[in-house]
Amino acid sequence: MRSKRSERGEGQLGCIFGLIILAATVYVAFKLVPVKMAAADMRRTITDQARSAGMIPDEKIRKAIMVRAMDLDIPLDEKNLVVRRHNNEISIEAEYTVPVKFPGYVFYWKFNPSAENPIF
């Protein structure tokens, strides 16, 4: 037996809250996923540059990483990119913060990708 409430077409308040939560989750994912994908691409670029560093000078490595950061709209400053060679090994470290803007709030997401590789 149905109640009069369901016959009049009144919805449950929980459904509305569920839709609001779903919309908020989709919005947050829409803002954060591209930033995470760009960070993963930057980490891969740094790793690739460390692997092929045997015959490439440090300045060329720095330039390649900075160009890729600009392509990905990553706010990497040259002073926060460190390329070091020591004991037949290269290490590359970067540090940057990406501001993610939400209505009424800015989330600052910090990244610190690095790679070490032997030089052959």
Side-chain angles (χ1 to χ4, degrees), residues 62-75:
R62 292 175 65 81
K63 185 176 180 181
I65 292 171
M66 291 304 296
V67 165
R68 188 65 185 148
M70 287 190 333
D71 290 345
L72 296 170
D73 291 328
I74 290 177

Side-chain angles (χ1 to χ4, degrees), residues 10-107:
E10 291 180 356
Q12 295 290 332
L13 198 56
C15 181
I16 293 171
F17 287 131
L19 289 175
I20 290 171
I21 290 172
L22 178 64
T25 303
V26 169
Y27 180 72
V28 168
F30 177 75
K31 297 292 265 181
L32 294 179
V33 167
V35 174
K36 186 65 174 172
M37 289 177 62
D41 196 337
M42 187 54 143
R43 184 176 55 246
R44 187 172 38 252
T45 299
I46 289 173
T47 302
D48 291 345
Q49 290 296 321
R51 285 183 188 154
S52 62
M55 300 299 229
I56 301 173
D58 291 355
E59 200 52 45
K60 196 169 183 182
I61 292 170
R62 292 175 65 81
K63 185 176 180 181
I65 292 171
M66 291 304 296
V67 165
R68 188 65 185 148
M70 287 190 333
D71 290 345
L72 296 170
D73 291 328
I74 290 177
L76 177 61
D77 193 0
E78 284 194 51
K79 68 181 179 181
N80 293 331
L81 176 61
V82 179
V83 179
R84 278 185 246 143
R85 292 179 192 257
H86 49 86
N87 297 333
N88 295 325
E89 187 173 277
I90 187 165
S91 65
I92 303 173
E93 298 174 8
E95 184 177 334
Y96 60 92
T97 303
V98 178
V100 182
K101 296 177 184 174
F102 293 101
Y105 181 71
V106 177
F107 173 65

